[in-house]
Amino acid sequence: MTRIIGGLAGGARLLVPVRGTRPTSERVREAIFSALDARSLCDGALVLDLFAGSGALGLEAASRGAESVVLVERDKGAAKIAQRNAETVAKAGAVRALVEPAAVRTFLQRSARTFDLVFVDPPYDLGDDELTAVLAELAPLLQHPATVVVERARKAGALEPPGDLEVERTRDYGDTRLHYLATTGTAADAARPESAPAP
């Protein structure tokens, strides 16, 4: 069972896809949101959850006061479950998350929205080059400042973000490695498109 840990929907149970996704453990989610809450990064945030699966990360942020949440998941079955989970969290008074049933890079290439808190939790077998490409396409959509949390296998190669993102810190939890990235305020400022109003 997966559940929302804190906030308006704290304790709410979330559905999890039977296969095809790798839910973030509750221990790791607790660590992520403890770090984010220490800096009040969820309250009023414009959140993007890439490779969302059940949507647990983005919906946790919604429960903790995010202004908007977009969940991107290309698997149709998982996207439907994320939609049901979004409705559960919204019933508790949190913002209703928007579910985008699309491939991550397709979404990033066509999006006109901007974000200041992003979760990137790809399959552990996603290649390093592909992850680097995702981060490069994400960078122009980031506000300044912005925080990006990347979850990878501990044994994965070194993370090499594009020049407009830098690794602030890295933490290990069992087989999981978390990278906390921040915008540098250089290339991101130059490349960022004009912010578009949320639909």
Side-chain angles (χ1 to χ4, degrees):
M1 183 191 76
T2 296
R3 64 185 180 90
I4 295 293
I5 300 167
L8 291 169
R13 296 187 177 190
L14 301 179
L15 301 172
V16 177
V18 176
R19 57 185 178 275
T21 64
R22 177 190 44 77
T24 300
S25 72
E26 188 166 309
R27 178 192 176 204
V28 172
R29 281 192 293 123
E30 285 179 341
I32 291 171
F33 285 94
S34 176
L36 297 177
D37 283 348
R39 298 168 59 189
S40 300
L41 293 179
C42 290
D43 192 27
L46 307 176
V47 176
L48 177 62
D49 186 354
L50 300 177
F51 307 97
S54 69
L57 289 172
L59 295 175
E60 186 75 43
S63 180
R64 294 172 187 247
E67 179 179 323
S68 66
V69 177
V70 179
L71 309 175
V72 181
E73 173 56 55
R74 73 175 179 180
D75 181 87
K76 292 182 179 179
K80 288 180 180 178
I81 286 177
Q83 183 64 57
R84 292 176 64 184
N85 288 337
E87 292 167 0
T88 296
V89 172
K91 287 177 182 177
V95 67
R96 184 179 296 274
L98 172 66
V99 178
E100 289 278 359
V104 163
R105 293 185 64 185
T106 299
F107 171 82
L108 294 174
Q109 290 163 9
R110 73 185 186 199
S111 179
R113 301 176 65 132
T114 60
F115 306 92
D116 53 24
L117 178 58
V118 182
F119 301 103
V120 184
D121 183 17
Y124 277 176
D125 60 0
L126 188 78
D128 294 340
D129 289 346
E130 181 68 11
L131 177 57
T132 298
V134 167
L135 294 175
E137 291 175 346
L138 168 65
L141 304 182
L142 296 175
Q143 297 197 2
H144 180 74
T147 298
V148 179
V149 183
V150 180
E151 182 177 341
R152 294 286 275 161
R154 188 172 181 175
K155 63 183 180 181
L159 187 65
E160 298 182 4
D164 37 11
L165 282 170
E166 61 185 5
V167 179
E168 283 192 324
R169 59 197 177 100
T170 298
R171 296 288 186 271
D172 291 336
Y173 300 90
D175 294 334
T176 298
R177 174 162 291 170
L178 296 176
H179 302 279
Y180 294 85
L181 283 61
T183 48
T184 62
T186 53
D189 288 345
R192 186 190 315 127
E194 291 298 319
S195 179

